[in-house]
Amino acid sequence: MFIRAFIFGAVLLFANVSQAQTVKPAPTASPSLEQRVADLEAYVNNSARGSDSENAKTASNISGSGPGHNGWMMTASALVLFMTLPGLALFYGGLVRQKNVLSVLAQCLGIAGLVAILWWAVGYSLVFSRGSPIIGGFKFVFLRGVDAQPNGDYSYWVSQNVFAMYQLMFAIITPALIIGAVAERIRFAAVLVFVGVWMFVVYFPLAHMVWGIDGWMNGVWNPRAKVTAIDFAGGTVVHMSSGWSALVLCALLGPRLGFRKEIMAPHSMVLCMVGAGMLWVGWYGFNAGSALGADGIAANAFTTTTLATAIASFTWAMLEYALRGKASVLGFCSGAVAGLVVITPACGYVDPTGAVIIGIVAGAVPFFACTKLKSWFHYDDALDTFGVHAVGGTLGSFLTGVLATARVNSNLVGTVAAQNTLANKLGHVLWLEQLKAIGITIALAVGASAIIGTIVKVFIGLRIAPEIERQGLDINEHGEEGYIVSG
């Protein structure tokens, strides 16, 4: 009742505030032939129409979304959901033991449903409505006013409801990544409670700071950004936040029974490879879709994503071959995911040569993080979420500051970038701004996850009982088995 009353009061408060604001008068004059041609050029170039300007007096005959850009973004939205369901579910599901495969699938499905509810209720508004530099406001609660008209703060040619659904898919996969570190031993109820709180404390504020139009760390689009960092598709928001939180949560849970004593090999490398392939395909929606239009920046992101991923996959497997004498399918799959992670923040800002450099580094550094770091410190990151996503996301965020170039994305030296000094830092000291964003992200993810995880551990319990862990989560937590073989 308290939560319901709080939300209702907040909605009334912000509704009254929004009514008190000055409403931009709608332009009424009909466009001339020259203005109509200019609108078509704006559509092709994925830029603003004349009627989108603050004091426009002339209406546009293309007043809504653009079919090509909108069509691409609906496709990209489906591709990003495809990354989680079934991509990540199968990738993680193949890596666990047979008795726990359904638990991973159930956790992915449960997170998708929970996050969708939170996103509809208030999450989208807290991330993408104007508010403070740290968190958005309540303008779009319950997706009020989120319709087929574009939100010019983010895109002039994509319907806001499509944009909201696209960003929902990011919000779904981010906490789903965490479960890889705590697989085979965490309670299903604990997953849902932890994720529900984590979204409000970590994801919504961080996503607003990095991507919100008035966000604290939105160097490309906020002229008053205090940290002029850049993150094209989620190095900090998605991979660092989930990866560093995963490390904290797996430390709170402790290792699986038999860790470092028993063989805990993946039960199906076929499922793992199928899931990894789905992740790779879906990631084009993740990275190229972050251009928010079918334009040249999207094409560059598509290209750099392909190069970095293929090269990282090859590099990881060749390191295995050189050091162990065999190149494994798991190595190819892990390298591909690492490449996807590291290129994510950079894909729309680096050229093909930069992508090649990122691919080589992405195949090498996470490889050693997963094979050496874990054995040195004895933490049970079951499916290498920390080694790939935290290490890879941190690495990618830093390399973005080193390799970004305005040759592939003129927004890096645009009007906003000139106002907040991003343009002056590009190619010189942008990596320092990236380090600031990295530090803020780690502090928020680690600190908040430690507190949330501890509270859940005390009041609900994080870990299943030892006898359930030995028997398996599938039959005990979900009443089902992944494979039933009749004799």
Side-chain angles (χ1 to χ4, degrees):
M1 288 297 294
F2 172 76
I3 296 175
R4 188 181 302 172
F6 173 77
I7 293 176
F8 181 71
V11 170
L12 289 179
L13 172 63
F14 279 86
N16 291 334
V17 170
S18 63
Q19 289 173 3
Q21 295 174 343
T22 302
V23 178
K24 172 188 170 184
T28 56
S30 298
S32 65
L33 178 60
E34 183 181 37
Q35 290 165 327
R36 293 163 75 174
V37 172
D39 283 351
L40 289 175
E41 290 177 345
Y43 170 62
V44 171
N45 293 323
N46 195 21
S47 58
R49 288 161 282 222
S51 60
D52 291 320
S53 63
E54 189 68 28
N55 300 311
K57 295 182 173 59
T58 304
S60 173
N61 284 356
I62 315 175
S63 58
S65 57
H69 297 306
N70 230 26
W72 162 237
M73 290 310 300
M74 285 188 280
T75 303
S77 301
L79 284 171
V80 181
L81 179 60
F82 186 69
M83 290 171 64
T84 306
L85 302 171
L88 184 70
L90 292 180
F91 179 66
Y92 278 175
L95 290 174
V96 298
R97 289 168 289 181
Q98 180 176 320
K99 61 184 178 181
N100 297 316
V101 58
L102 292 183
S103 69
V104 172
L105 274 59
Q107 288 162 12
C108 287
L109 287 164
I111 288 171
L114 173 62
V115 172
I117 294 170
L118 298 179
W119 195 250
W120 161 77
V122 71
Y124 174 72
S125 189
L126 291 176
V127 176
F128 290 107
S129 69
R130 290 176 180 262
S132 73
I134 305 299
I135 194 71
F138 290 87
K139 180 180 180 181
F140 299 128
V141 291
F142 307 120
L143 296 185
R144 181 183 60 189
V146 178
D147 53 24
Q149 290 299 311
N151 179 347
D153 283 345
Y154 302 100
S155 175
Y156 296 108
W157 296 103
V158 176
S159 299
Q160 188 175 192
N161 49 16
V162 173
F163 174 75
M165 291 302 97
Y166 177 68
Q167 295 296 341
L168 166 62
M169 308 316 174
F170 281 70
I172 287 172
I173 196 170
T174 303
L177 293 171
I178 297 174
I179 65 177
V182 296
E184 301 196 299
R185 62 204 191 274
I186 192 169
R187 297 178 60 206
F188 181 70
V191 169
L192 296 183
V193 174
F194 178 87
V195 168
V197 179
W198 187 87
M199 293 299 292
F200 282 95
V201 181
V202 178
Y203 187 84
F204 296 155
L206 185 59
H208 180 77
M209 284 190 278
V210 175
W211 290 332
I213 192 63
D214 52 357
W216 190 27
M217 299 189 289
N218 189 347
V220 177
W221 298 113
N222 181 10
R224 293 180 293 276
K226 300 302 181 185
V227 178
T228 54
I230 58 176
D231 184 349
F232 192 78
T236 52
V237 178
V238 176
H239 300 295
M240 284 188 63
S241 69
S242 61
W244 285 97
S245 296
L247 178 66
V248 172
L249 200 55
C250 84
L252 286 172
L253 269 172
R256 290 166 290 178
L257 296 177
F259 178 63
R260 296 177 64 83
K261 298 177 182 177
E262 302 174 8
I263 296 175
M264 298 181 178
H267 91 279
S268 175
M269 281 309 306
V270 173
L271 284 183
C272 173
M273 192 277 164
V274 170
M278 290 177 173
L279 282 168
W280 189 338
V281 172
W283 221 292
Y284 289 114
F286 201 87
N287 283 2
S290 290
L292 302 181
D295 59 10
I297 296 175
N300 184 75
F302 191 100
T303 301
T304 56
T305 297
T306 303
L307 289 171
T309 306
I311 291 168
S313 177
F314 184 76
T315 300
W316 188 303
M318 290 305 101
L319 283 171
E320 283 188 329
Y321 190 76
L323 297 174
R324 301 174 180 174
K326 295 179 181 178
S328 69
V329 171
L330 178 58
F332 279 112
C333 292
S334 298
V337 175
L340 290 164
V341 169
V342 180
I343 193 62
T344 288
C347 59
Y349 299 131
V350 301
D351 60 18
T353 300
V356 170
I357 294 170
I358 285 175
I360 295 170
V361 178
V365 176
F367 169 80
F368 285 105
C370 293
T371 58
K372 298 298 182 182
L373 201 62
K374 187 161 65 171
S375 63
W376 291 342
F377 293 98
H378 297 174
Y379 57 87
D380 186 11
D381 177 13
L383 310 182
D384 291 322
T385 299
F386 175 74
V388 172
H389 294 276
V391 173
T394 305
L395 180 64
S397 296
F398 176 75
L399 290 177
T400 301
V402 176
L403 299 171
T405 172
R407 291 193 305 273
V408 299
N409 193 328
S410 60
N411 294 316
L412 294 173
V413 290
T415 302
V416 171
Q419 291 175 325
N420 63 23
T421 72
L422 169 62
N424 297 331
K425 296 168 183 172
L426 182 67
H428 303 289
V429 293
L430 179 56
W431 60 273
L432 289 175
E433 297 299 301
Q434 297 299 105
L435 286 178
K436 293 177 188 177
I438 288 169
I440 292 168
T441 302
I442 293 174
L444 176 61
V446 170
S449 297
I451 294 170
I452 299 168
T454 301
I455 292 173
V456 173
K457 185 176 183 178
V458 170
F459 289 98
I460 299 175
L462 282 173
R463 187 162 185 152
I464 56 175
E467 58 271 19
I468 294 177
E469 185 174 349
R470 292 189 184 93
Q471 189 175 2
L473 276 70
D474 290 359
I475 194 67
N476 287 285
E477 287 266 287
H478 306 287
E480 301 169 298
E481 293 181 80
Y483 307 95
I484 299 176
V485 181
S486 58

